[in-house]
Every structure is written in structure tokens, then in C-alpha cells.
Amino acid sequence: MSGTLSPRAGLLGAEEDFASIGRAVAGAPARARSRAWWIAFAGACGLLGVFAAALAWLLLNGVGIWHNNNPVVWALDIVAYDWWIGIACGALLTSAILRLAGAAWRSGIDRIAETTAVLAAAAAALYPIIHLGRPWVFYWTLPYPNTLALWPQFRSPLVWDAIDIVSFLGVCLGLWYVGLLPDFAVLRDRAFEAARAEGRAADEGSGRRRRRTMLRAQIYGILALGWRGAATHWERWVLATRTLSALAIVLVVALQTGASVMLAGTVLPGWHDTLLPVTFLAASLLSGVGVTAALAVLVRRALHLEALITERHLDLMARLMLGLGLVSAYCYGTEIFSSLLHGDAFDRSVLVRRLAGPHAWAFWLIVVFALLPVQLFWRAALRRSGLVVALVGIAAAIGSFGDHFMLLIVTLSHDFLPSSAHSYSTGVWGIATLLGSVGLFLALLLLGLRTLPMVSITETRRFAESHADGRASGERAPTAAETDDAPLWGVSAEFAQAGDLAAAVEALKDRDLGARIETYGPVPMARVARALGHPAGILPLLALGAALAGGLAFMAMCLYASGIDYVFDVGGRPRFSWQSFMVPSVSFGTLCGGLATVLALLFQNRLPRLNHPAFAIPGFARASEDRFFLALEATGPRFDPARIEGALARLPQGRPLMVRRVPL
């Protein structure tokens, strides 16, 4: 098939084909049902219990249990929020860039990176809510009509956080779910086939197993939304994933640099640095790639997916961590030399406190965990060691936590006046809340290992060769006696290769057969789509228009609220200071673009549709596994199944394995 990547490239086992990839990924959740999984899940639930206790104590006593003080009003809660959102941004940005760049090795890690982003964002989303002190009124931070006639303060970073996290979750979940749609269809078809096999079994207990399998098949069927793998589905799916990836890049850059530009725009020593946005972005990328690499090693070992997540994937992730570690080291070194060479006394005092003050452990945490371990990857043998890659990835995430702690706590605890200095000590309840968020992340991850395909079946198949056995699928074709008197939906032909299907379409597309041609397969079929003349669509333009409209509308609302309807002057700022509203406007615009992309994909593909005549094609379940189907749907009185069958039998190349009549 076109676009095939040889297994010798090291990204796929030499014996893997479409069917074996589907079996390996779809069967992986069953391999997670082990004693080790239950022990890990029990530990994660224990951390969730700690979080519940910390939250209950917070509601009883207020946010002071985190040892916040004046001037350290942003303490361990905001440190943890920035850390989690940094991991989420780094993981999402990695997946989005690899997808847009067309990197072949994304096949093994893109689903893991997107899952990391979703789970880390879910953990981060807790903090802006519980930081309010009264989390049951979290919706006060959102612009909604209320009886008090008040607007949120759109210049407040707390409102920015609320808009940012909602937008991030919307775009990230959209990309994650759209990518899962074809895989859900694979799981649906495999579950239905397993239920049929169990229904034919006569052993005791098969009835209960069949009911459980059917329930699982129905759940996956609902999640798949009627995905059939039509050529038009695939073309729009590719467009949608690339569009969502582009929106994700804009959102991540705006979110990370927006917060850092806000800090750099202050006069506080330690923050007033134009390099801070770059440092923020590099640190978040390093932590996100590190956690993704660690989880890739976990998925590879726990689910026995060594043939799909190969040593080549680990080597490339290690190289990426090495490069990001060097960029981070450059940023930290530049900041230190800048403060020493042309910084004032206040800048140098902040640098001294970072290196040797009461919280100097945060700086050395960065050095020991984030900057030094990645240097191990100069050796090729260590880049291919799963244990080393996982440990260095976790260390990078720990070092990133030290970076956020140093940036916030050390800077806020001492500004210009000695009389304003107030030391900060981490409290047990702050640590308990952090551990609870880690428990949430781990619990959701472990549940995902049991229920979801952690490696993208579709992306992996796109770079695999299909080694077809050349035989038709097992279900018999309807006989003439069954179809003579029954109204026909159409005629189907089954092919072993996408190239054979494309040749058949090219030979039949200009013939007047009284039928509409549609094709179905387990991977995108670019040549088939070109042969059918299906336009690429305007989905990216719809997303761009929705993003611009949403961003401008949000900016207009902020200007109206802050400059006309509810004027609340803060710090002598101008009434119409549009610069203050750029970050939430961009975030909301990307959310609108993401929602428009998902809705346009579903509308253009006529989804959800839980039933379709194509599902009645004998053996159609293999359209999500390793077979390609050509369907000629009856459209008028000129439809003649015998003539179509004859045309299929006389194809100059790409002969079908089986031709079937499909009744309504």
C-alpha cells in the first residue's frame, strides 16, 4: 500500500500486519487484569482517600491550611496547578507537533501523550476550584447572568485559569476522542464477533460471558458513533485531527507564554525577565515528554506491546528529552549570567536566595533531577533501555516541580522591602492535596489501561504492511434464493489490499451502473478518495472562522464588561486595556474552533448513526481489521446486480475475493 513504512525502520515488529496490530491492542486491556494492577489501583485509591480528607479539612478551615501567607499568596496549590498544566501542555504539544510534521514514530506514543494531557489537565482543573475556598460557587468565575449584576474581573489570573482550563480540556478531549473513534469501532466489531462465538458455544457459563461481551460491544458501539471506515470518513478524520492539532499548538503556546508574560510584565525581581516565556515553555515540554516516555515504557511492559512500542520509539523519546534538557539548561544558565552581569542588587539577591536560601533545595532539584539525568542519553545503549528512559522521564517531572516552586515561592517570599519578607513553610495539608491529585492521575490512568486502546490502532496500521491471506471472510454470501425476492441495498465486493480496491474504483467510477460507489477500510485510503473525487472539504476553514469569531466575541465581552457596564479600575489601568484580555480570548477562540471541528466532522459524516445498511454486508466486521470493501448502493431503476457482478468479475486488475448481494 502507498505510504508504507518498512518494518525494518524499527518502529514495528517485522511480522506485524493489520490483523495482528488490532489483536495486540484490543486484547491489551485483558492483559492488565493482574495482581500488580490491583495493587497499584489500591494505592491510587488510597491517595484519593488522602485527597478527600484534605478537601474536607479545607472546606472546614479554609485555604490557610496550605500555609499561604502575605506575601506568599500563591503557595503549593498554584505550584501544583502550574506543574500539572505544564505536564499536560508538554504532552499535548508533543503529540500535535508530531502529527502535523507527519513523523512516523508518533504511531507508538501519540495516544499515550494525549491521554497524559487529558489526565494531567483533569488533575490541574481541581486546583483553581478548590483554591477559591468555596468551591461550590466556582461558576462565579465564569461570565454568566446573575442576580447581583456583577461581571467576573477579567483582568484576574483566576478568571484566566478558569477559561484556560475549560478551553484546554475542550480541545484536548476533542483531539483525544476524535483519534479514538476508529479504534472504538475496532473494539466494537471484535466484541460483537466474540459475542457471536460465545453464543455458538454450548459450555456452561457461556451465556453469562456472552451477556457481558454484548454489553461491552454495545458500549463501544455507542462510543464509536456508527463509524464505518468509509473513504469520506477517513478523509475528514485526517483533516479534523490535523486541524485540532494546529489549534492545540496555538492554545498551548498562548497558555504557557501568557502566564509567563504576565509574570515577566511585573517589576518583581526574579520574574522581570524577557526569557521567562521561553523557559516556561521548555520546562513544560520537558516534563510532558518525560511523563509520556515513562508511561510509554509502562504501557509497553504491562500490556506486552513490545512489537508496537519498540526500542526505536524509546530512543527517539530519549533524544527529544536530551534536546529539551539542553534547551532548559541554556535558559537557566542565561538567566543566572544575566543576573550576575547586568542585574541590579535585587536580582542578585533573588539569585542568591535561589542558590543558597531556605528553599535552595528547589533549584538543586532542577539541576539534579531535570538537567543532569538527561545527559545519560548521550549513550545509545541507555537511550534504548526502558528502565533508564522511564526513570529519567519521572526525574524530569520532579525537576519541573522544583522549577515552579522556585519561581513562585522564592520570588514572592521576599520582594524589595525587608519588612515585607515572610518565609514560607510547606504544610502537611498542602502535600496531602498534591498527593491526592497524583492519586487521581494514577487511578484514571489505571482505569484507562483496563478499558481503552493505549496505542492508536489506526496510526500504527498506517505504517504497516498488510499481509493478507488472500481468502474471503468466513461468513457465507447470501444465495440467490435469499435475495431474488428481497429488495437489495446493493452489491459488495471484498478486497485484500487498498491498492486492489483503488484499481476497482478507478475502473468502475465512470460506468453507468445505477449505483453509488462507497468504500470502507481499516485505514485512510487517499488513493481511493482521489479516485472517487471526494473533495477535502472546508473543515479547516470552519474551524478558523469559529476560532476567530469566538475570540473576537470574548474580547468584545471583556471590553464591554470592564470598560462600560462594570468599571472596576485596578492599578490605574486604562478602561479599555485590551492587552489584559488576550490570553482568555485566544483560549476561548481555540475552544470554539475545536468544538466547530468536532461538530463539523460528525455532521459531514452523518454521525452518530448507530445502524447502517453497510453493517449487513457479510463479513463487514473485517472492514475494521484487515479487509477493504467496495459497496455499490442501488440508486435507481438502472441498478442491475447481475451486470455489476459481471463488471466486477471482468476487472483488469484488483479482482475481489468475494462478491455479495446485500439485502435491505
Side-chain angles (χ1 to χ4, degrees), residues 22-103:
R23 287 193 300 268
V25 179
R31 295 191 287 273
R33 297 167 189 166
S34 62
R35 181 178 299 177
W37 185 92
W38 283 108
I39 293 173
F41 189 69
C45 290
L47 292 178
L48 281 177
V50 172
F51 178 74
L55 182 58
W57 192 248
L58 169 72
L59 297 179
L60 289 173
N61 296 276
V63 295
I65 66 170
W66 292 326
H67 288 198
N68 299 28
N69 58 49
N70 194 6
V72 187
V73 293
W74 291 350
L76 201 60
D77 52 330
I78 301 301
V79 171
Y81 167 76
D82 286 344
W83 180 59
W84 279 120
I85 202 65
I87 292 174
C89 287
L92 182 61
L93 189 62
T94 301
S95 175
I97 290 177
L98 291 178
R99 189 183 299 276
L100 287 179

Side-chain angles (χ1 to χ4, degrees), residues 311 314-315 318 376-389:
E311 290 185 352
L314 302 184
D315 178 83
L376 295 173
F377 292 142
W378 288 105
R379 292 185 57 113
L382 297 179
R383 291 198 302 268
R384 293 179 176 268
S385 170
L387 179 61
V388 174
V389 170

Side-chain angles (χ1 to χ4, degrees), residues 69 71-76 79 268-271 335 346-366 401-417 420-426:
N69 58 49
V72 187
V73 293
W74 291 350
L76 201 60
V79 171
L268 285 177
W271 286 358
E335 186 176 356
F346 300 106
D347 285 327
R348 288 192 289 271
S349 65
V350 170
L351 177 60
V352 170
R353 287 196 300 275
R354 288 181 175 179
L355 299 179
H359 299 297
W361 59 266
F363 174 80
W364 297 110
L365 202 69
I366 301 170
F401 184 85
D403 173 72
H404 291 292
F405 189 96
M406 177 191 72
L407 185 68
L408 292 177
I409 304 302
V410 177
T411 303
L412 288 173
S413 61
H414 193 301
D415 52 13
F416 296 100
L417 299 176
S420 300
H422 195 160
S423 61
Y424 171 80
S425 60
T426 303

